[in-house]
Amino acid sequence: MAVAVKTQNLPLIKKIRNIPREEYYVPGHRTCAGCGPALQYKLVAKAAGPNTIFLGPTGCMYVANASYLCTPYRVPWMHTQITNGGAVASGVEAAYQVLIRKGKREGELPNVIVMAGDGGSVDIGLQAMSAMMYRNHDALFVCYDNEAYANTGIQTSPTTPYGANTTFTPPGPAIPEGKKLFPKDPPQLVIGGHPAVKYVATASVAYPVDLMNKVRKALNVQGPTFLHIHAPCPKGWKFNESKTVEIAKLAIQTGMWILYEWENGEYKYQHKPREYKPVREYMKLQGRFAHLQEAHIAKMQAFVDAKLKAPGIPVAVPAPPPRAQA
Amino acid sequence: MFIIPKEKEVPLGCITPAPVTEQTMMITGNWREYRPVIDQEKCNLCMNCIVYCPDACWQLNEAEDEVVWNAKYCKGCLICVNECTTEALSKAYELDFEDGVVRLEKPF
Amino acid sequence: MAKEMVLSGCAASAQAAKMAKVEVICSYPIRPYTALMMELAKMVANGELDAEFIYGEGEHAQLSVVLGASAAGARVLTGSSGVGVTYAFETYSPIAGGRVPVQMMIADRALDPPGDFGSEHTDAMSCRDQGWLMGWAENPQEAFDNCLINYRVGEDHRVLLPQFVCQDGYFVSHIPGKVLLPDQSQVDEFLPPYTLPHPLDPKHPVSHGPQIRPDQGTIMDLQRAQAHLDAPAVIKEAIADFNRIFGRDYSPFVEEYMTDDAEMAFFIMGAHTMTARHAIKHLRSQGVKIGLVKLRFVRPWPTQEVAEALSKFKAVGVVETSTSYGGAMRGGNLLHEVRASLYDLPKRPLTTSFMAGLGGEMVPLKEFYYMADILSEMIKDGKAKKTVYWVGFEAEA
């Protein structure tokens, strides 16, 4: 039985000057000014190029992009429910496998990319994402992480950081820190339980060449791949919209976000700071953390320190021991 | 048979054409309070404004020797000004320009 | 050459899907429909059927996978039963509204609580208002035929609607019956290859399903309503072609049995129709002037045909195999629609309904005799005492 395969080898981008000129996520969308998720969408679409089909689970990148009978997607795009991005992508990929095999479609297997928010990836969308990966569909699942259900008015999601003020975790006298729980770790969820997945990476809008190259590497791999992209949200995190990239960079400089690739079982780290800044530097720019007390910030620092130690990254900032978790 | 007013028409199954270079049904230039202004003398084509614009509103010109701003869609977030490596970009109040956005005349 | 086989409903549906050259299948196990997927899995494994067989992670995923595949341009099949049908509920409206003609075989099953393997129409009937075509098969032959007929109608560009192709769990899905399998050439003549006006294809990019303004929501609803207005003509065409190519004599919407001089009739659909036919034969031998009208499509509901068929009787007993708790008739779903269909007639038959075959209970002959007695009494009294009888559980006989 013939199998439709991708023979493409999207070249890696060496210098920022060489990024592709063509846009596949074009101007004319209703995302907020300074939107991190919109920025990552532009970069992912640019890296993927014309032979691409996007599946868009409900979320900001549906509601704010695909508005009132128009979308900014130059390549085919379909809305999916917030629940089923991975499943619909599985169907699209399976259809192309059989249609190419039967000679009903010509050319290369398209890049099938799910562009899901954190909720559509690791909360209500987790089952569909996991199954797509288990079944070895040749598709890229992108989790653009703005760390909340932003489109519905900034409610907490499983990736919302500890201590964040969201509309479901408002701080008050009884719960001074707002969000008491610590977040899920999406790439580790994927790596830990999906043997069919050979490539997983984290990326950030602060490092666009790195991000685009990770998209291309993921698309060059046969089989399911996963990208976890940090995408700051000015509205949800309460910072000035000109600071989206600055905040994203600070996340990496403080260890709040770690850039790495996991390829065939091996980790490689990118843009690792020589010395980490205290998480306070990152948190103080964001209104969602404005209510926190010193003890809460120390707890966050301890959480980050523990995380940085795990993959063998030295911790520069001494941190107090973590308090009992909520 | 039903009569459907033109302005309420929806294509079958809500399947719409894909845009090519811009989505003219969602013009966002009138959101701006400030606009980025470039001093081409100072620009070294570092590309930051181009890659970091969420709305793809900075592009190289055809000769690839200057960056060009897209006033029609720029929302005025000013990420470009913040990320400019040579201080070639600065912000200016939108209403200081003759072609400045008259806000809320046509919200979106 | 066409050949006769003895097949269960599930096996017959699998044969039909194979002859329809289905391209993407998505499975998830739940009794009783799952036998369909077991058959298809074997066909794929044996190389008899060139299709992608996807192991869905649940019914919601099953529908989502076939939605994606159908939108990309492949003919698809999925299916479910009972709580599996309701688990996927979120997907039904987007599939119908997006005009993606997927086919779902439902071998129906009672809903929880508690677990009950038995057949009941409530699972599928709960989904009837989402814009899908829907109808029941009486036997494995109809299960086979309805699969092909529904692909033909649903994929027609004048319709473009998904299809619930239903059969009673166990009574049809698992009890073998004679099935005339046609030649592949006959199926190919009847069923053209699947095409979609705007598939997901990078060579012709389109956007599927951007948001609309609230004042355009009605238009989306109107589109689906219009498709159901347009579907009957396409169904008639399809049935005429089907009868010609396969040598059958289906009527498109309602089938009548022994109704020529009948004063009363059962209105029924699905597996229990077969028992009803035997009951009618017996009752006729006793001199009772009774017949039956079988419904072939619940959606689109054939208002005109139902009114015409039932107007000639003095009393009609609607056999309900689904529940509508708290509904106007205090029983099932069908009597609502039957009464609505009859409302504009100058002279209406007396109508009532019988809750029978719920939870997978059989509807034995004596229950049909009981129903016939009630109908006779209604004719004698000139009125219906009640709108619903829970057959076998009524305090007064």
Side-chain angles (χ1 to χ4, degrees), chain A residues 24-48:
Chain A
Y24 295 93
Y25 174 79
V26 303
H29 46 84
R30 209 166 50 99
T31 61
C32 304
C35 173
L39 174 51
Q40 66 81 34
Y41 219 130
K42 182 191 86 166
L43 296 168
V44 171
K46 208 185 238 300

Side-chain angles (χ1 to χ4, degrees), chain A residues 31 35 37 57-66 144 146 149-152 233:
Chain A
T31 61
C35 173
T58 305
C60 276
M61 291 299 97
Y62 171 48
V63 175
N65 280 324
Y144 64 87
N146 60 354
Y149 287 95
N151 147 56
T152 41
C233 169

Side-chain angles (χ1 to χ4, degrees), chain C residues 96 128 139 315 354 395:
Chain C
R128 71 191 182 281
N139 50 43
F354 300 107

Side-chain angles (χ1 to χ4, degrees), chain A residues 71 83-84 96 101 104, chain C residues 23 50 52 64 90 200 207:
Chain A
T71 73
T83 43
N84 63 3
Y96 267 88
R101 186 163 75 226
K104 293 184 177 181
Chain C
E23 289 160 327
D50 183 8
E52 293 289 307
S64 307
E90 184 199 23
L200 291 168
S207 293

Side-chain angles (χ1 to χ4, degrees), chain C residues 15 50 124 146 218 250 289 300 363 384:
Chain C
Q15 288 293 338
D50 183 8
N146 287 355
T218 313
Y250 284 127
K289 290 188 173 172
V363 189

Side-chain angles (χ1 to χ4, degrees), chain B residues 79-98:
Chain B
I79 288 177
C80 52
V81 176
N82 210 45
E83 300 307 320
C84 180
T85 53
T86 60
E87 296 184 345
L89 285 172
S90 56
K91 73 173 187 181
Y93 198 45
E94 187 63 24
L95 291 182
D96 290 348
F97 293 88
E98 262 180 49

Side-chain angles (χ1 to χ4, degrees), chain A residues 89-107:
Chain A
S90 302
V92 171
E93 188 263 0
Y96 267 88
Q97 293 284 356
V98 66
L99 292 173
I100 290 173
R101 186 163 75 226
K102 290 186 171 183
K104 293 184 177 181
R105 287 284 160 78
E106 284 171 0

Side-chain angles (χ1 to χ4, degrees), chain A residues 51 62 66 68-69 71 74 76-79 81 83-84 87-88 91-92 94 96 101-102 104-106 128 131 135, chain C residues 23 50 52 54-55 57 60 64-65 68-69 72 87 90 94 199-203 205-209 211 213 216:
Chain A
N51 190 31
Y62 171 48
Y68 309 134
L69 288 183
T71 73
R74 186 172 166 184
W77 166 90
M78 182 161 79
H79 171 229
Q81 304 312 112
T83 43
N84 63 3
V88 176
V92 171
Y96 267 88
R101 186 163 75 226
K102 290 186 171 183
K104 293 184 177 181
R105 287 284 160 78
E106 284 171 0
R135 288 189 302 251
Chain C
E23 289 160 327
D50 183 8
E52 293 289 307
I54 312 292
Y55 320 119
E57 68 273 18
H60 191 284
S64 307
V65 165
Y87 182 62
E90 184 199 23
L200 291 168
D201 180 356
K203 292 188 181 71
V206 284
S207 293
H208 283 235
Q211 292 215 310
R213 298 187 312 265
Q216 293 170 314

